């Protein structure tokens, strides 16, 4: 081994080993023969042995493998997200023209007397089913007998992923509309379809303006429920940022209470797997969830046992949803 020290230091030689350069700065050493250009921390006073060179080489190889794995992981995530976008948009693009045609007919007929709204809902349901199949996502449904076949209902699921709408639309055998943030309506094709299907949007805002917009949207939902509509309202108010269940807000329960609709809690189990392919819980899905379950719990109306008030109803619905979730979805 040939060890070259800084100025004024004599070389120490040994045979059949990489060349090392020890600088006058503490903790800097370059190797040639292990991997050129890497710097290893060592003490200038410490004698460098063959075993230490081997250890540094192993550390370097491990670091290289980790960097390569990270690159492959990033590529895999990119390709998965590309596939996800295609699976979500391709059916929407195909089904958009008939949706637009039905919407125009509905507008010109001044309402739903020809059933155009229901036909649009059927198209949305078909779009969700087709997208899930293209994504390769399989969903197991439990307790579907608890979903009333007739009458107005308000469904309150937990919300941890953008995939929730696909899962619910594809599995629940009722034509249901959503209460979502109005920004979604601005998304090309997908958001336009939701707007034409008469889903209700809530503008995001703070202070009095935000509260006024929220109350106006809830009043719209109440009027539609009284006329026979049924809705899915995410009671947490927004998508979970860590996949865990959040506290429930009162909006969905005031709708059910003021309209005498049956409130049906639903647990979405395992959808959070789509966002846990990296160290942090991601905003956009990065992995294909393998074990999604939709658990439909028994519904109640305001005044039933355990739901005498809207507060009791909210607490009961929260515990119902929580009861079927996995440990990684429970509140911290």
């Amino acid at each position: 081994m040939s060890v070259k020290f800084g100025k004024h230091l004599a070389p120490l030689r040994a045979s059949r080993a990489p060349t090392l350069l020890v600088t006058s700065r503490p903790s800097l050493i370059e190797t040639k023969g292990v991997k050129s250009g890497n710097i290893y921390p060592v003490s200038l006073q410490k004698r460098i042995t063959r075993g230490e060179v081997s250890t540094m080489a192993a550390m370097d190889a491990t670091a290289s493998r980790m960097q390569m794995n990270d690159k492959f992981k990033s590529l895999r995530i990119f390709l998965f997200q590309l596939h996800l976008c295609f699976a979500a948009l391709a059916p929407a693009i195909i089904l958009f023209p008939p949706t637009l045609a039905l919407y125009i007919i509905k507008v010109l007929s001044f309402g739903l007397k020809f059933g155009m709204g229901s036909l649009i809902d059927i198209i949305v349901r078909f779009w969700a089913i087709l997208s899930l199949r293209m994504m390769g996502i399989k969903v197991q449904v439990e307790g579907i007998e608890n979903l009333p076949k007739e009458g107005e209902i308000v469904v309150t699921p937990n919300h941890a992923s953008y995939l929730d709408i696909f899962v619910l639309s594809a599995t629940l055998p009722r034509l249901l509309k959503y209460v979502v943030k109005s920004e979604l309506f601005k998304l090309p094709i997908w958001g336009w379809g939701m707007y034409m299907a008469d889903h209700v949007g809530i503008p995001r805002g703070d202070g009095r303006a935000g509260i006024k917009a929220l109350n106006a949207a809830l009043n719209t939902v109440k009027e539609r429920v009284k006329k026979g509509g049924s809705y899915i309202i995410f009671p947490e108010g927004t998508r979970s940022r860590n996949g865990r269940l959040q506290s429930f807000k009162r909006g969905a329960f005031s709708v059910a209470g003021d309209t005498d609709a049956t409130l049906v809690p639903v647990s979405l189990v395992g959808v959070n797997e789509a966002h846990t392919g990296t160290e942090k819980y991601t905003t956009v899905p990065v992995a294909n969830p393998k074990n999604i379950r939709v658990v439909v719990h028994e519904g109640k109306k305001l005044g039933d046992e355990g739901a005498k008030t809207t507060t009791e109803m909210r607490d009961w619905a929260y515990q119902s949803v929580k009861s079927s979730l996995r440990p990684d979805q429970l509140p911290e």
Side-chain angles (χ1 to χ4, degrees), residues 207-231:
R208 292 183 179 179
I211 295 175
K212 184 177 180 179
L214 174 62
N215 289 334
L218 291 177
N219 288 334
T220 299
V221 175
K222 291 176 183 178
E223 291 301 319
R224 293 185 181 181
V225 172
K226 290 177 181 178
K227 295 178 181 179
S230 293
Y231 280 82

mmCIF file with all atom_site columns, all heavy atoms in Angstrom, residues 207-231:
data_model
loop_
_atom_site.group_PDB
_atom_site.id
_atom_site.type_symbol
_atom_site.label_atom_id
_atom_site.label_alt_id
_atom_site.label_comp_id
_atom_site.label_asym_id
_atom_site.label_entity_id
_atom_site.label_seq_id
_atom_site.pdbx_PDB_ins_code
_atom_site.Cartn_x
_atom_site.Cartn_y
_atom_site.Cartn_z
_atom_site.occupancy
_atom_site.B_iso_or_equiv
_atom_site.pdbx_formal_charge
_atom_site.auth_seq_id
_atom_site.auth_comp_id
_atom_site.auth_asym_id
_atom_site.auth_atom_id
_atom_site.pdbx_PDB_model_num
ATOM 1   N N   . GLY A 1 207 ? -62.502 33.089 8.369  1.00 0.00 ? 207 GLY A N   1
ATOM 2   C CA  . GLY A 1 207 ? -63.286 34.170 8.941  1.00 0.00 ? 207 GLY A CA  1
ATOM 3   C C   . GLY A 1 207 ? -64.759 34.087 8.575  1.00 0.00 ? 207 GLY A C   1
ATOM 4   O O   . GLY A 1 207 ? -65.302 33.026 8.268  1.00 0.00 ? 207 GLY A O   1
ATOM 5   N N   . ARG A 1 208 ? -65.392 35.227 8.573  1.00 0.00 ? 208 ARG A N   1
ATOM 6   C CA  . ARG A 1 208 ? -66.838 35.290 8.332  1.00 0.00 ? 208 ARG A CA  1
ATOM 7   C C   . ARG A 1 208 ? -67.201 34.843 6.925  1.00 0.00 ? 208 ARG A C   1
ATOM 8   O O   . ARG A 1 208 ? -68.225 34.191 6.715  1.00 0.00 ? 208 ARG A O   1
ATOM 9   C CB  . ARG A 1 208 ? -67.327 36.717 8.566  1.00 0.00 ? 208 ARG A CB  1
ATOM 10  C CG  . ARG A 1 208 ? -67.252 37.160 10.029 1.00 0.00 ? 208 ARG A CG  1
ATOM 11  C CD  . ARG A 1 208 ? -67.816 38.557 10.201 1.00 0.00 ? 208 ARG A CD  1
ATOM 12  N NE  . ARG A 1 208 ? -67.783 38.983 11.593 1.00 0.00 ? 208 ARG A NE  1
ATOM 13  C CZ  . ARG A 1 208 ? -68.199 40.169 12.022 1.00 0.00 ? 208 ARG A CZ  1
ATOM 14  N NH1 . ARG A 1 208 ? -68.684 41.054 11.135 1.00 0.00 ? 208 ARG A NH1 1
ATOM 15  N NH2 . ARG A 1 208 ? -68.139 40.477 13.305 1.00 0.00 ? 208 ARG A NH2 1
ATOM 16  N N   . ALA A 1 209 ? -66.363 35.193 5.950  1.00 0.00 ? 209 ALA A N   1
ATOM 17  C CA  . ALA A 1 209 ? -66.651 34.813 4.567  1.00 0.00 ? 209 ALA A CA  1
ATOM 18  C C   . ALA A 1 209 ? -66.654 33.293 4.409  1.00 0.00 ? 209 ALA A C   1
ATOM 19  O O   . ALA A 1 209 ? -67.503 32.719 3.731  1.00 0.00 ? 209 ALA A O   1
ATOM 20  C CB  . ALA A 1 209 ? -65.627 35.435 3.625  1.00 0.00 ? 209 ALA A CB  1
ATOM 21  N N   . GLY A 1 210 ? -65.698 32.632 5.066  1.00 0.00 ? 210 GLY A N   1
ATOM 22  C CA  . GLY A 1 210 ? -65.627 31.177 4.992  1.00 0.00 ? 210 GLY A CA  1
ATOM 23  C C   . GLY A 1 210 ? -66.817 30.508 5.652  1.00 0.00 ? 210 GLY A C   1
ATOM 24  O O   . GLY A 1 210 ? -67.383 29.547 5.112  1.00 0.00 ? 210 GLY A O   1
ATOM 25  N N   . ILE A 1 211 ? -67.217 31.023 6.802  1.00 0.00 ? 211 ILE A N   1
ATOM 26  C CA  . ILE A 1 211 ? -68.371 30.464 7.516  1.00 0.00 ? 211 ILE A CA  1
ATOM 27  C C   . ILE A 1 211 ? -69.654 30.677 6.717  1.00 0.00 ? 211 ILE A C   1
ATOM 28  O O   . ILE A 1 211 ? -70.507 29.794 6.620  1.00 0.00 ? 211 ILE A O   1
ATOM 29  C CB  . ILE A 1 211 ? -68.489 31.101 8.910  1.00 0.00 ? 211 ILE A CB  1
ATOM 30  C CG1 . ILE A 1 211 ? -67.283 30.720 9.773  1.00 0.00 ? 211 ILE A CG1 1
ATOM 31  C CG2 . ILE A 1 211 ? -69.783 30.681 9.594  1.00 0.00 ? 211 ILE A CG2 1
ATOM 32  C CD1 . ILE A 1 211 ? -67.248 31.408 11.119 1.00 0.00 ? 211 ILE A CD1 1
ATOM 33  N N   . LYS A 1 212 ? -69.770 31.857 6.107  1.00 0.00 ? 212 LYS A N   1
ATOM 34  C CA  . LYS A 1 212 ? -70.960 32.162 5.304  1.00 0.00 ? 212 LYS A CA  1
ATOM 35  C C   . LYS A 1 212 ? -71.051 31.222 4.106  1.00 0.00 ? 212 LYS A C   1
ATOM 36  O O   . LYS A 1 212 ? -72.130 30.703 3.778  1.00 0.00 ? 212 LYS A O   1
ATOM 37  C CB  . LYS A 1 212 ? -70.904 33.614 4.848  1.00 0.00 ? 212 LYS A CB  1
ATOM 38  C CG  . LYS A 1 212 ? -72.144 34.069 4.093  1.00 0.00 ? 212 LYS A CG  1
ATOM 39  C CD  . LYS A 1 212 ? -72.045 35.549 3.724  1.00 0.00 ? 212 LYS A CD  1
ATOM 40  C CE  . LYS A 1 212 ? -73.295 36.014 2.966  1.00 0.00 ? 212 LYS A CE  1
ATOM 41  N NZ  . LYS A 1 212 ? -73.202 37.458 2.620  1.00 0.00 ? 212 LYS A NZ  1
ATOM 42  N N   . ALA A 1 213 ? -69.917 30.977 3.438  1.00 0.00 ? 213 ALA A N   1
ATOM 43  C CA  . ALA A 1 213 ? -69.903 30.080 2.275  1.00 0.00 ? 213 ALA A CA  1
ATOM 44  C C   . ALA A 1 213 ? -70.240 28.650 2.682  1.00 0.00 ? 213 ALA A C   1
ATOM 45  O O   . ALA A 1 213 ? -70.971 27.946 1.981  1.00 0.00 ? 213 ALA A O   1
ATOM 46  C CB  . ALA A 1 213 ? -68.536 30.130 1.598  1.00 0.00 ? 213 ALA A CB  1
ATOM 47  N N   . LEU A 1 214 ? -69.716 28.226 3.826  1.00 0.00 ? 214 LEU A N   1
ATOM 48  C CA  . LEU A 1 214 ? -69.996 26.876 4.321  1.00 0.00 ? 214 LEU A CA  1
ATOM 49  C C   . LEU A 1 214 ? -71.480 26.711 4.640  1.00 0.00 ? 214 LEU A C   1
ATOM 50  O O   . LEU A 1 214 ? -72.104 25.704 4.249  1.00 0.00 ? 214 LEU A O   1
ATOM 51  C CB  . LEU A 1 214 ? -69.153 26.594 5.569  1.00 0.00 ? 214 LEU A CB  1
ATOM 52  C CG  . LEU A 1 214 ? -69.425 25.278 6.302  1.00 0.00 ? 214 LEU A CG  1
ATOM 53  C CD1 . LEU A 1 214 ? -69.137 24.094 5.391  1.00 0.00 ? 214 LEU A CD1 1
ATOM 54  C CD2 . LEU A 1 214 ? -68.588 25.189 7.577  1.00 0.00 ? 214 LEU A CD2 1
ATOM 55  N N   . ASN A 1 215 ? -72.047 27.672 5.330  1.00 0.00 ? 215 ASN A N   1
ATOM 56  C CA  . ASN A 1 215 ? -73.474 27.592 5.678  1.00 0.00 ? 215 ASN A CA  1
ATOM 57  C C   . ASN A 1 215 ? -74.359 27.597 4.434  1.00 0.00 ? 215 ASN A C   1
ATOM 58  O O   . ASN A 1 215 ? -75.375 26.883 4.374  1.00 0.00 ? 215 ASN A O   1
ATOM 59  C CB  . ASN A 1 215 ? -73.849 28.760 6.597  1.00 0.00 ? 215 ASN A CB  1
ATOM 60  C CG  . ASN A 1 215 ? -73.249 28.618 7.985  1.00 0.00 ? 215 ASN A CG  1
ATOM 61  O OD1 . ASN A 1 215 ? -72.969 27.496 8.435  1.00 0.00 ? 215 ASN A OD1 1
ATOM 62  N ND2 . ASN A 1 215 ? -73.033 29.725 8.666  1.00 0.00 ? 215 ASN A ND2 1
ATOM 63  N N   . ALA A 1 216 ? -73.980 28.393 3.435  1.00 0.00 ? 216 ALA A N   1
ATOM 64  C CA  . ALA A 1 216 ? -74.747 28.438 2.194  1.00 0.00 ? 216 ALA A CA  1
ATOM 65  C C   . ALA A 1 216 ? -74.716 27.086 1.482  1.00 0.00 ? 216 ALA A C   1
ATOM 66  O O   . ALA A 1 216 ? -75.739 26.603 0.982  1.00 0.00 ? 216 ALA A O   1
ATOM 67  C CB  . ALA A 1 216 ? -74.203 29.530 1.274  1.00 0.00 ? 216 ALA A CB  1
ATOM 68  N N   . ALA A 1 217 ? -73.532 26.439 1.467  1.00 0.00 ? 217 ALA A N   1
ATOM 69  C CA  . ALA A 1 217 ? -73.416 25.131 0.822  1.00 0.00 ? 217 ALA A CA  1
ATOM 70  C C   . ALA A 1 217 ? -74.226 24.083 1.573  1.00 0.00 ? 217 ALA A C   1
ATOM 71  O O   . ALA A 1 217 ? -74.913 23.253 0.960  1.00 0.00 ? 217 ALA A O   1
ATOM 72  C CB  . ALA A 1 217 ? -71.944 24.724 0.753  1.00 0.00 ? 217 ALA A CB  1
ATOM 73  N N   . LEU A 1 218 ? -74.169 24.109 2.909  1.00 0.00 ? 218 LEU A N   1
ATOM 74  C CA  . LEU A 1 218 ? -74.935 23.145 3.707  1.00 0.00 ? 218 LEU A CA  1
ATOM 75  C C   . LEU A 1 218 ? -76.437 23.344 3.527  1.00 0.00 ? 218 LEU A C   1
ATOM 76  O O   . LEU A 1 218 ? -77.202 22.375 3.493  1.00 0.00 ? 218 LEU A O   1
ATOM 77  C CB  . LEU A 1 218 ? -74.546 23.260 5.183  1.00 0.00 ? 218 LEU A CB  1
ATOM 78  C CG  . LEU A 1 218 ? -73.129 22.786 5.543  1.00 0.00 ? 218 LEU A CG  1
ATOM 79  C CD1 . LEU A 1 218 ? -72.846 23.023 7.016  1.00 0.00 ? 218 LEU A CD1 1
ATOM 80  C CD2 . LEU A 1 218 ? -72.943 21.313 5.199  1.00 0.00 ? 218 LEU A CD2 1
ATOM 81  N N   . ASN A 1 219 ? -76.867 24.599 3.410  1.00 0.00 ? 219 ASN A N   1
ATOM 82  C CA  . ASN A 1 219 ? -78.297 24.859 3.171  1.00 0.00 ? 219 ASN A CA  1
ATOM 83  C C   . ASN A 1 219 ? -78.726 24.312 1.805  1.00 0.00 ? 219 ASN A C   1
ATOM 84  O O   . ASN A 1 219 ? -79.846 23.795 1.664  1.00 0.00 ? 219 ASN A O   1
ATOM 85  C CB  . ASN A 1 219 ? -78.569 26.363 3.246  1.00 0.00 ? 219 ASN A CB  1
ATOM 86  C CG  . ASN A 1 219 ? -78.495 26.885 4.669  1.00 0.00 ? 219 ASN A CG  1
ATOM 87  O OD1 . ASN A 1 219 ? -78.721 26.143 5.626  1.00 0.00 ? 219 ASN A OD1 1
ATOM 88  N ND2 . ASN A 1 219 ? -78.182 28.163 4.828  1.00 0.00 ? 219 ASN A ND2 1
ATOM 89  N N   . THR A 1 220 ? -77.839 24.419 0.823  1.00 0.00 ? 220 THR A N   1
ATOM 90  C CA  . THR A 1 220 ? -78.135 23.843 -0.500 1.00 0.00 ? 220 THR A CA  1
ATOM 91  C C   . THR A 1 220 ? -78.300 22.332 -0.398 1.00 0.00 ? 220 THR A C   1
ATOM 92  O O   . THR A 1 220 ? -79.223 21.743 -0.980 1.00 0.00 ? 220 THR A O   1
ATOM 93  C CB  . THR A 1 220 ? -77.001 24.171 -1.485 1.00 0.00 ? 220 THR A CB  1
ATOM 94  O OG1 . THR A 1 220 ? -76.893 25.596 -1.636 1.00 0.00 ? 220 THR A OG1 1
ATOM 95  C CG2 . THR A 1 220 ? -77.258 23.526 -2.842 1.00 0.00 ? 220 THR A CG2 1
ATOM 96  N N   . VAL A 1 221 ? -77.405 21.690 0.354  1.00 0.00 ? 221 VAL A N   1
ATOM 97  C CA  . VAL A 1 221 ? -77.489 20.233 0.529  1.00 0.00 ? 221 VAL A CA  1
ATOM 98  C C   . VAL A 1 221 ? -78.779 19.854 1.236  1.00 0.00 ? 221 VAL A C   1
ATOM 99  O O   . VAL A 1 221 ? -79.468 18.896 0.847  1.00 0.00 ? 221 VAL A O   1
ATOM 100 C CB  . VAL A 1 221 ? -76.270 19.722 1.331  1.00 0.00 ? 221 VAL A CB  1
ATOM 101 C CG1 . VAL A 1 221 ? -76.426 18.228 1.625  1.00 0.00 ? 221 VAL A CG1 1
ATOM 102 C CG2 . VAL A 1 221 ? -74.988 19.971 0.563  1.00 0.00 ? 221 VAL A CG2 1
ATOM 103 N N   . LYS A 1 222 ? -79.142 20.605 2.266  1.00 0.00 ? 222 LYS A N   1
ATOM 104 C CA  . LYS A 1 222 ? -80.373 20.310 3.005  1.00 0.00 ? 222 LYS A CA  1
ATOM 105 C C   . LYS A 1 222 ? -81.598 20.394 2.099  1.00 0.00 ? 222 LYS A C   1
ATOM 106 O O   . LYS A 1 222 ? -82.490 19.538 2.157  1.00 0.00 ? 222 LYS A O   1
ATOM 107 C CB  . LYS A 1 222 ? -80.515 21.281 4.182  1.00 0.00 ? 222 LYS A CB  1
ATOM 108 C CG  . LYS A 1 222 ? -79.490 21.062 5.289  1.00 0.00 ? 222 LYS A CG  1
ATOM 109 C CD  . LYS A 1 222 ? -79.618 22.118 6.388  1.00 0.00 ? 222 LYS A CD  1
ATOM 110 C CE  . LYS A 1 222 ? -78.546 21.942 7.442  1.00 0.00 ? 222 LYS A CE  1
ATOM 111 N NZ  . LYS A 1 222 ? -78.618 22.980 8.510  1.00 0.00 ? 222 LYS A NZ  1
ATOM 112 N N   . GLU A 1 223 ? -81.659 21.423 1.262  1.00 0.00 ? 223 GLU A N   1
ATOM 113 C CA  . GLU A 1 223 ? -82.796 21.572 0.360  1.00 0.00 ? 223 GLU A CA  1
ATOM 114 C C   . GLU A 1 223 ? -82.874 20.407 -0.621 1.00 0.00 ? 223 GLU A C   1
ATOM 115 O O   . GLU A 1 223 ? -83.954 19.890 -0.916 1.00 0.00 ? 223 GLU A O   1
ATOM 116 C CB  . GLU A 1 223 ? -82.685 22.897 -0.403 1.00 0.00 ? 223 GLU A CB  1
ATOM 117 C CG  . GLU A 1 223 ? -82.893 24.128 0.468  1.00 0.00 ? 223 GLU A CG  1
ATOM 118 C CD  . GLU A 1 223 ? -84.264 24.130 1.140  1.00 0.00 ? 223 GLU A CD  1
ATOM 119 O OE1 . GLU A 1 223 ? -85.267 23.762 0.466  1.00 0.00 ? 223 GLU A OE1 1
ATOM 120 O OE2 . GLU A 1 223 ? -84.338 24.482 2.331  1.00 0.00 ? 223 GLU A OE2 1
ATOM 121 N N   . ARG A 1 224 ? -81.734 19.972 -1.103 1.00 0.00 ? 224 ARG A N   1
ATOM 122 C CA  . ARG A 1 224 ? -81.719 18.866 -2.062 1.00 0.00 ? 224 ARG A CA  1
ATOM 123 C C   . ARG A 1 224 ? -82.070 17.539 -1.390 1.00 0.00 ? 224 ARG A C   1
ATOM 124 O O   . ARG A 1 224 ? -82.730 16.687 -2.003 1.00 0.00 ? 224 ARG A O   1
ATOM 125 C CB  . ARG A 1 224 ? -80.352 18.782 -2.733 1.00 0.00 ? 224 ARG A CB  1
ATOM 126 C CG  . ARG A 1 224 ? -80.045 19.964 -3.636 1.00 0.00 ? 224 ARG A CG  1
ATOM 127 C CD  . ARG A 1 224 ? -78.741 19.766 -4.377 1.00 0.00 ? 224 ARG A CD  1
ATOM 128 N NE  . ARG A 1 224 ? -78.426 20.905 -5.233 1.00 0.00 ? 224 ARG A NE  1
ATOM 129 C CZ  . ARG A 1 224 ? -77.351 20.971 -6.011 1.00 0.00 ? 224 ARG A CZ  1
ATOM 130 N NH1 . ARG A 1 224 ? -76.489 19.961 -6.037 1.00 0.00 ? 224 ARG A NH1 1
ATOM 131 N NH2 . ARG A 1 224 ? -77.126 22.033 -6.760 1.00 0.00 ? 224 ARG A NH2 1
ATOM 132 N N   . VAL A 1 225 ? -81.623 17.368 -0.151 1.00 0.00 ? 225 VAL A N   1
ATOM 133 C CA  . VAL A 1 225 ? -81.960 16.129 0.571  1.00 0.00 ? 225 VAL A CA  1
ATOM 134 C C   . VAL A 1 225 ? -83.464 16.066 0.825  1.00 0.00 ? 225 VAL A C   1
ATOM 135 O O   . VAL A 1 225 ? -84.095 15.010 0.693  1.00 0.00 ? 225 VAL A O   1
ATOM 136 C CB  . VAL A 1 225 ? -81.171 16.029 1.894  1.00 0.00 ? 225 VAL A CB  1
ATOM 137 C CG1 . VAL A 1 225 ? -81.672 14.854 2.739  1.00 0.00 ? 225 VAL A CG1 1
ATOM 138 C CG2 . VAL A 1 225 ? -79.680 15.858 1.609  1.00 0.00 ? 225 VAL A CG2 1
ATOM 139 N N   . LYS A 1 226 ? -84.057 17.209 1.174  1.00 0.00 ? 226 LYS A N   1
ATOM 140 C CA  . LYS A 1 226 ? -85.506 17.250 1.403  1.00 0.00 ? 226 LYS A CA  1
ATOM 141 C C   . LYS A 1 226 ? -86.296 16.896 0.138  1.00 0.00 ? 226 LYS A C   1
ATOM 142 O O   . LYS A 1 226 ? -87.426 16.417 0.220  1.00 0.00 ? 226 LYS A O   1
ATOM 143 C CB  . LYS A 1 226 ? -85.912 18.646 1.894  1.00 0.00 ? 226 LYS A CB  1
ATOM 144 C CG  . LYS A 1 226 ? -85.433 18.958 3.305  1.00 0.00 ? 226 LYS A CG  1
ATOM 145 C CD  . LYS A 1 226 ? -85.801 20.382 3.707  1.00 0.00 ? 226 LYS A CD  1
ATOM 146 C CE  . LYS A 1 226 ? -85.309 20.699 5.113  1.00 0.00 ? 226 LYS A CE  1
ATOM 147 N NZ  . LYS A 1 226 ? -85.614 22.104 5.512  1.00 0.00 ? 226 LYS A NZ  1
ATOM 148 N N   . LYS A 1 227 ? -85.664 17.114 -1.019 1.00 0.00 ? 227 LYS A N   1
ATOM 149 C CA  . LYS A 1 227 ? -86.315 16.780 -2.285 1.00 0.00 ? 227 LYS A CA  1
ATOM 150 C C   . LYS A 1 227 ? -85.993 15.372 -2.762 1.00 0.00 ? 227 LYS A C   1
ATOM 151 O O   . LYS A 1 227 ? -86.337 14.997 -3.883 1.00 0.00 ? 227 LYS A O   1
ATOM 152 C CB  . LYS A 1 227 ? -85.910 17.797 -3.357 1.00 0.00 ? 227 LYS A CB  1
ATOM 153 C CG  . LYS A 1 227 ? -86.400 19.207 -3.081 1.00 0.00 ? 227 LYS A CG  1
ATOM 154 C CD  . LYS A 1 227 ? -85.917 20.175 -4.158 1.00 0.00 ? 227 LYS A CD  1
ATOM 155 C CE  . LYS A 1 227 ? -86.391 21.596 -3.876 1.00 0.00 ? 227 LYS A CE  1
ATOM 156 N NZ  . LYS A 1 227 ? -85.910 22.565 -4.899 1.00 0.00 ? 227 LYS A NZ  1
ATOM 157 N N   . GLY A 1 228 ? -85.296 14.605 -1.912 1.00 0.00 ? 228 GLY A N   1
ATOM 158 C CA  . GLY A 1 228 ? -85.020 13.217 -2.255 1.00 0.00 ? 228 GLY A CA  1
ATOM 159 C C   . GLY A 1 228 ? -83.577 12.892 -2.564 1.00 0.00 ? 228 GLY A C   1
ATOM 160 O O   . GLY A 1 228 ? -83.255 11.747 -2.915 1.00 0.00 ? 228 GLY A O   1
ATOM 161 N N   . GLY A 1 229 ? -82.684 13.842 -2.442 1.00 0.00 ? 229 GLY A N   1
ATOM 162 C CA  . GLY A 1 229 ? -81.272 13.586 -2.735 1.00 0.00 ? 229 GLY A CA  1
ATOM 163 C C   . GLY A 1 229 ? -80.566 12.889 -1.585 1.00 0.00 ? 229 GLY A C   1
ATOM 164 O O   . GLY A 1 229 ? -81.002 12.937 -0.435 1.00 0.00 ? 229 GLY A O   1
ATOM 165 N N   . SER A 1 230 ? -79.476 12.217 -1.900 1.00 0.00 ? 230 SER A N   1
ATOM 166 C CA  . SER A 1 230 ? -78.645 11.561 -0.891 1.00 0.00 ? 230 SER A CA  1
ATOM 167 C C   . SER A 1 230 ? -77.193 11.947 -1.140 1.00 0.00 ? 230 SER A C   1
ATOM 168 O O   . SER A 1 230 ? -76.762 12.037 -2.307 1.00 0.00 ? 230 SER A O   1
ATOM 169 C CB  . SER A 1 230 ? -78.817 10.041 -0.942 1.00 0.00 ? 230 SER A CB  1
ATOM 170 O OG  . SER A 1 230 ? -80.123 9.663  -0.536 1.00 0.00 ? 230 SER A OG  1
ATOM 171 N N   . TYR A 1 231 ? -76.443 12.137 -0.055 1.00 0.00 ? 231 TYR A N   1
ATOM 172 C CA  . TYR A 1 231 ? -75.106 12.718 -0.185 1.00 0.00 ? 231 TYR A CA  1
ATOM 173 C C   . TYR A 1 231 ? -74.060 11.954 0.624  1.00 0.00 ? 231 TYR A C   1
ATOM 174 O O   . TYR A 1 231 ? -74.364 11.320 1.634  1.00 0.00 ? 231 TYR A O   1
ATOM 175 C CB  . TYR A 1 231 ? -75.111 14.184 0.266  1.00 0.00 ? 231 TYR A CB  1
ATOM 176 C CG  . TYR A 1 231 ? -75.632 15.111 -0.797 1.00 0.00 ? 231 TYR A CG  1
ATOM 177 C CD1 . TYR A 1 231 ? -76.999 15.280 -0.980 1.00 0.00 ? 231 TYR A CD1 1
ATOM 178 C CD2 . TYR A 1 231 ? -74.761 15.797 -1.640 1.00 0.00 ? 231 TYR A CD2 1
ATOM 179 C CE1 . TYR A 1 231 ? -77.494 16.109 -1.970 1.00 0.00 ? 231 TYR A CE1 1
ATOM 180 C CE2 . TYR A 1 231 ? -75.249 16.633 -2.631 1.00 0.00 ? 231 TYR A CE2 1
ATOM 181 C CZ  . TYR A 1 231 ? -76.602 16.786 -2.801 1.00 0.00 ? 231 TYR A CZ  1
ATOM 182 O OH  . TYR A 1 231 ? -77.087 17.600 -3.784 1.00 0.00 ? 231 TYR A OH  1
#
